Amino acid sequence: MAKFRIVTDSCIDLPASMVSDLGIEVIPMTVTVEGRSYRNFPDEREIKSEVFYDILRSQKVATTSQLNPADHEAAMTKWLDLGYDILSISFSSALSGSYQSAVIAAKELRERYPERRIVLVDSLCASMGQGLLVTHAARLQMANHPIDTVAQWLEDNKQKICHLFTVADLNHLKRGGRLSAGKAFIGTLIQLKPILHVDEKGKLVPIGSARGRRHAINRMIDRIAETIEKPEGQTLFLSHGDCLEEALEMKLKIMERLPVHDVVVHTIGPVIGSHSGVGTIAVFYLGKERSQA
């Protein structure tokens, strides 16, 4: 059985320790603030999360860049030269052009390495939802499943990766085109907090709202309880926009209510955080198909 390497991008928002333990290759995406660009490495070597969120709090605007074919080619070539096949798992194609860049790179590399397998998966996931999918792939790899078996599991199960988000600042959604200026203004006035998910097409869409932050978080937990499948033994992922205390409170509430194994908490990285903003809380788990969740 040919050995293979899992290659993904830094939108997975996984802790550096998990990335190391899983043995995956993470291609850093780029965030730019006031003309200076930083690559979003899992170990935060170029920009620390707390520094990034302090920048956002100062009302500076951050922009992001998708991966280009050369980025994918460089990451894959390193492992192809060592005799590995490649399983590439990309950020949702509905939110970024990075998956299409992987397609272009793979076409070129298959011609140069005809003896190697390069399998591409469009995760249709975001943040630690993508990270959760990648984690399952890595666990299957560690259990000695071949690349095609792992890829098929991903295709069969990616629609079961449920995403729930709430944000603190509606203006970030307005800037990203997810909310009209009028709705953002009115929502801010009455403290309306949207609840969003990533749908079956990989798009971020609103599914409800709540008056106030605490009510929004409680409604998210209610929805988890309604849509999660076989919570026993599941490890949920919870990411946050520099609001650790609230994230830990939510983790405690989830574990008091549901028989899950654990809830892994980590900061939303600068690439996703540029669009979601300070104070975002998001939770990810295996549940019903997203169209039904």
Side-chain angles (χ1 to χ4, degrees):
M1 183 174 65
K3 57 187 177 180
F4 67 97
R5 194 75 172 187
I6 295 172
V7 178
T8 189
D9 54 70
S10 58
C11 286
I12 57 173
D13 285 342
L14 293 181
S17 58
M18 284 191 67
V19 169
S20 177
D21 290 345
L22 295 172
I24 57 178
E25 177 78 12
V26 178
I27 311 172
M29 297 179 79
T30 300
V31 61
T32 301
V33 184
E34 294 191 320
R36 182 173 178 181
S37 295
Y38 307 88
R39 287 175 295 174
N40 177 203
F41 287 98
D43 63 7
E44 303 183 349
R45 71 188 70 165
E46 293 195 4
I47 185 168
K48 302 293 184 184
S49 292
E50 58 266 27
V51 172
F52 169 74
Y53 282 104
D54 283 344
I55 288 172
L56 292 190
R57 288 187 179 95
S58 69
Q59 303 301 310
K60 294 175 182 175
V61 176
T63 60
T64 59
S65 302
Q66 68 187 39
L67 297 179
N68 60 43
D71 295 323
H72 287 283
E73 187 173 332
M76 294 181 189
T77 298
K78 176 170 66 175
W79 297 104
L80 292 168
D81 284 340
L82 294 173
Y84 286 79
D85 292 341
I86 299 293
L87 175 58
S88 170
I89 307 171
S90 295
F91 183 41
S92 173
S93 62
L95 299 172
S96 168
S98 292
Y99 170 71
Q100 189 56 41
S101 293
V103 172
I104 295 169
K107 182 179 179 181
E108 167 68 21
L109 291 171
R110 287 184 184 118
E111 295 177 0
R112 288 166 46 192
Y113 299 87
E115 74 286 1
R116 300 263 60 88
R117 296 270 292 125
I118 303 174
V119 182
L120 307 180
V121 174
D122 177 1
S123 74
L124 300 178
C125 294
S127 188
M128 288 184 85
Q130 181 184 343
L132 183 57
L133 192 70
V134 169
T135 298
H136 280 284
R139 299 297 186 205
L140 290 170
Q141 181 189 34
M142 291 174 180
N144 294 318
H145 291 282
I147 187 171
D148 290 316
T149 299
V150 177
Q152 190 60 54
W153 187 94
L154 295 174
E155 295 295 347
D156 292 343
N157 289 276
K158 65 186 182 183
Q159 289 291 347
K160 295 181 180 180
I161 304 292
C162 298
H163 306 54
L164 291 175
F165 294 76
T166 190
V167 300
D169 182 359
L170 296 174
N171 289 311
H172 280 279
L173 294 181
K174 181 191 72 175
R175 284 196 293 269
R178 305 293 177 187
L179 196 67
S180 71
K183 287 183 179 179
F185 176 72
I186 294 170
T188 299
L189 281 181
I190 63 175
Q191 287 296 298
L192 195 65
K193 301 302 180 185
I195 299 170
L196 308 99
H197 86 148
V198 173
D199 69 9
E200 65 274 15
K201 296 180 181 178
K203 296 180 179 179
L204 183 62
V205 296
I207 56 172
S209 60
R211 186 71 65 84
R213 177 81 160 181
R214 188 169 299 275
H215 286 149
I217 290 173
N218 288 337
R219 287 193 62 181
M220 288 169 65
I221 296 171
D222 289 342
R223 192 171 180 89
I224 296 168
E226 292 166 2
T227 58
I228 194 170
E229 292 192 338
K230 299 178 181 178
E232 301 83 0
Q234 269 209 55
T235 294
L236 281 59
F237 285 0
L238 197 161
S239 59
H240 64 93
D242 203 29
C243 51
L244 178 60
E245 185 174 335
E246 285 182 299
L248 292 176
E249 288 178 4
M250 186 174 183
K251 171 181 176 174
L252 182 60
K253 288 182 177 181
I254 292 171
M255 297 194 71
E256 286 175 344
R257 183 163 176 182
L258 296 168
V260 299
H261 173 67
D262 195 10
V263 179
V264 174
V265 177
H266 192 54
T267 311
I268 297 170
V271 172
I272 299 292
S274 295
H275 303 282
S276 59
V278 178
T280 296
I281 288 186
V283 63
F284 313 90
Y285 56 97
L286 280 167
K288 297 178 182 178
E289 295 287 333
R290 294 188 214 171
S291 59
Q292 305 168 30

